[in-house]
């Protein structure tokens, strides 16, 4: 059983990159996915590895398996996907996370929970630091994800206190890169696809709301650094790029980089869409020795090239 790692949501955008990175480290990887939003195309190049296993399963259902570590990434992460079936999203975050924690108990394993910057809601402070408790609407259309992830964090710390489970909680800020779903509705993929197709670039609101964008390779390094850190480092810990850009700036950068003639059009801002989003990563720097190294221009070049190949 030594070195056996379970990655739930392993065929998703982040999960597929994580599986690849773990295999390069010589780990035995079990990629678990129900393929609701994950894609077999993301992991098909890994099938030849002798220490790579694909398991089609939904974490809402209990699971019996021998593992040493669990990276719990299973959950639709874009509003388009998690709002399609909000009750299922909430079940995945709560029941699914509890099932993974029970699996940890049975195996005396450790677990890393992929939480999110969405736990901060529409923040009243900027940048967001881990001690900030957030400003979340518990009955809004985003609540299935926001509150689901908050409940998942609660479960991890209760299992940590009550059952001495070894836990790690990371709060992921906007991440982009190859393997993103063309239709996931996230701002980077939306803008790139629209620009490459010559369609209008759709900005919701006035475009002055801000986001910070972390390239996927940096994010995965941060995730693995947290899992491999000292047992007393439980998190929560922000992992993201503190560079802050308005949505309008992002659209203009992508238009320039693609040479697109697309026009920017404005539509109403969705309910509870955050106005500011920027991580304070001081904790990650101090406790993990981690900070991102790939700037937005470099990351977008790689991401645009990926979308050119698949469109």
């Amino acid at each position: 059983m030594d070195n056996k790692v379970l990655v739930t949501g392993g065929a998703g955008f982040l999960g597929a990159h994580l599986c690849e990175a773990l295999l390069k480290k010589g780990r035995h990887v079990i990629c678990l996915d129900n393929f609701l939003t994950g894609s077999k195309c993301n992991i098909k190049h890994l099938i030849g590895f002798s220490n790579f296993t694909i398991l089609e399963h939904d974490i809402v259902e209990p699971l019996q398996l021998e593992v040493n570590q669990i990276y719990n990434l299973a959950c639709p992460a874009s509003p388009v996907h998690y709002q399609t079936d909000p009750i299922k999203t909430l079940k995945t975050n709560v029941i699914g996370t509890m099932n993974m924690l029970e699996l940890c108990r049975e195996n005396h394993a450790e677990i890393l929970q992929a939480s999110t910057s969405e736990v901060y809601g529409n923040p009243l402070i900027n940048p967001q630091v881990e001690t900030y408790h957030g400003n979340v609407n518990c009955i809004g259309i985003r609540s299935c994800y926001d509150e689901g992830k908050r409940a998942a964090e609660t479960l991890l710390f209760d299992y940590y206190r009550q059952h001495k489970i070894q836990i790690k909680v990371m709060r992921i800020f906007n991440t982009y890169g190859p393997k993103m779903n063309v239709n996931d509705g996230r701002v980077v993929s939306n803008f790139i696809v629209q620009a490459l197709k010559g369609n209008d670039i759709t900005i919701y609101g006035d475009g002055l709301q801000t986001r910070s964008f972390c390239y996927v390779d940096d994010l995965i390094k941060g995730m693995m650094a947290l899992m491999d850190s000292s047992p007393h480092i439980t998190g929560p810990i922000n992992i993201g790029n503190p560079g802050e850009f308005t949505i309008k700036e992002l659209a203009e950068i992508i238009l320039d980089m693609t040479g697109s003639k697309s026009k920017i059009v404005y539509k109403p801002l969705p309910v509870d869409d955050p106005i500011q989003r920027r991580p304070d990563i001081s904790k990650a720097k101090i406790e993990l020795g981690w900070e991102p190294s790939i700037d937005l221009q470099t990351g977008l070049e790689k991401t645009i090239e990926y979308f050119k190949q698949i469109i």
Side-chain angles (χ1 to χ4, degrees):
M1 193 179 80
D2 188 40
N3 260 356
K4 195 173 284 188
V5 184
L6 175 66
V7 179
T8 74
F13 164 49
L14 294 181
H17 282 279
L18 176 61
C19 286
E20 187 172 329
L22 289 167
L23 286 169
K24 288 178 179 177
K25 292 281 188 180
R27 310 302 296 274
H28 182 154
V29 177
I30 302 169
C31 167
L32 182 151
D33 210 295
N34 65 357
F35 299 103
L36 190 65
T37 56
S39 171
K40 291 179 181 177
C41 292
N42 286 339
I43 53 171
K44 64 181 180 181
H45 66 295
L46 303 178
I47 292 173
F49 285 83
S50 59
N51 53 341
F52 181 68
T53 305
I54 299 173
L55 177 61
E56 188 165 351
H57 184 82
D58 189 325
I59 65 167
V60 171
E61 303 300 325
L63 178 67
Q64 297 294 319
L65 200 65
E66 289 189 345
V67 293
N68 299 100
Q69 291 182 334
I70 299 173
Y71 287 84
N72 188 30
L73 278 60
C75 184
S78 71
V80 169
H81 289 152
Y82 66 64
Q83 290 172 15
T84 299
D85 189 345
I87 294 172
K88 176 68 173 178
T89 298
L90 199 54
K91 283 182 175 179
T92 301
N93 280 319
V94 178
I95 299 172
T97 299
M98 188 175 290
N99 284 337
M100 292 305 100
L101 285 162
E102 286 297 329
L103 189 61
C104 274
R105 283 185 69 191
E106 293 163 9
N107 285 276
H108 304 288
E110 55 187 340
I111 184 170
L112 182 146
Q113 171 69 13
S115 191
T116 172
S117 60
E118 297 294 336
V119 300
Y120 299 120
N122 188 6
L124 302 178
I125 66 167
N126 195 50
Q128 292 82 59
V129 65
E130 291 89 347
T131 51
Y132 177 53
H133 294 164
N135 176 39
V136 177
N137 175 8
C138 67
I139 59 171
I141 59 172
R142 300 170 69 102
S143 306
C144 59
Y145 187 72
D146 301 0
E147 294 286 36
K149 288 292 189 179
R150 285 162 70 94
E153 288 194 16
T154 301
L155 280 167
L156 262 83
F157 278 91
D158 283 340
Y159 268 76
Y160 170 70
R161 288 183 286 257
Q162 190 169 335
H163 298 300
K164 313 304 179 188
I165 299 295
Q166 192 168 328
I167 66 165
K168 309 283 184 179
V169 175
M170 67 179 293
R171 292 177 176 164
I172 299 172
F173 282 69
N174 289 56
T175 306
Y176 69 99
K179 299 191 193 330
M180 292 185 83
N181 189 313
V182 173
N183 301 311
D184 69 5
R186 299 187 204 189
V187 65
V188 173
S189 53
N190 261 10
F191 285 179
I192 292 175
V193 171
Q194 289 169 340
L196 292 177
K197 289 185 174 181
N199 298 335
D200 290 340
I201 301 290
T202 308
I203 288 180
Y204 295 94
D206 59 12
L208 299 182
Q209 66 269 39
T210 67
R211 295 291 184 272
S212 57
F213 303 101
C214 185
Y215 188 66
V216 63
D217 289 358
D218 279 334
L219 188 283
I220 296 301
K221 287 176 184 175
M223 185 181 289
M224 293 173 68
L226 177 56
M227 179 63 101
D228 294 338
S229 65
S230 170
H232 78 271
I233 298 175
T234 60
I237 191 162
N238 292 335
I239 300 292
N241 193 316
E244 189 174 16
F245 298 86
T246 68
I247 296 301
K248 188 172 185 290
E249 284 176 321
L250 177 69
E252 291 169 345
I253 291 168
I254 289 173
L255 282 172
D256 180 62
M257 291 181 69
T258 57
S260 175
K261 303 300 181 185
S262 297
K263 296 178 182 179
I264 295 177
V265 298
Y266 295 86
K267 294 189 175 182
L269 190 69
V271 177
D272 296 327
D273 198 62
I275 300 302
Q276 294 179 315
R277 187 55 56 77
R278 178 189 172 209
D280 182 314
I281 61 167
S282 303
K283 196 173 179 181
K285 288 180 179 180
I286 294 168
E287 296 190 356
L288 307 180
W290 175 89
E291 62 182 311
S293 62
I294 299 171
D295 61 43
L296 184 62
Q297 181 87 13
T298 303
L300 285 176
E301 285 174 2
K302 296 172 184 286
T303 310
I304 289 168
E305 188 57 36
Y306 167 77
F307 279 109
K308 281 182 179 178
Q309 293 171 9
I310 66 170
I311 292 177

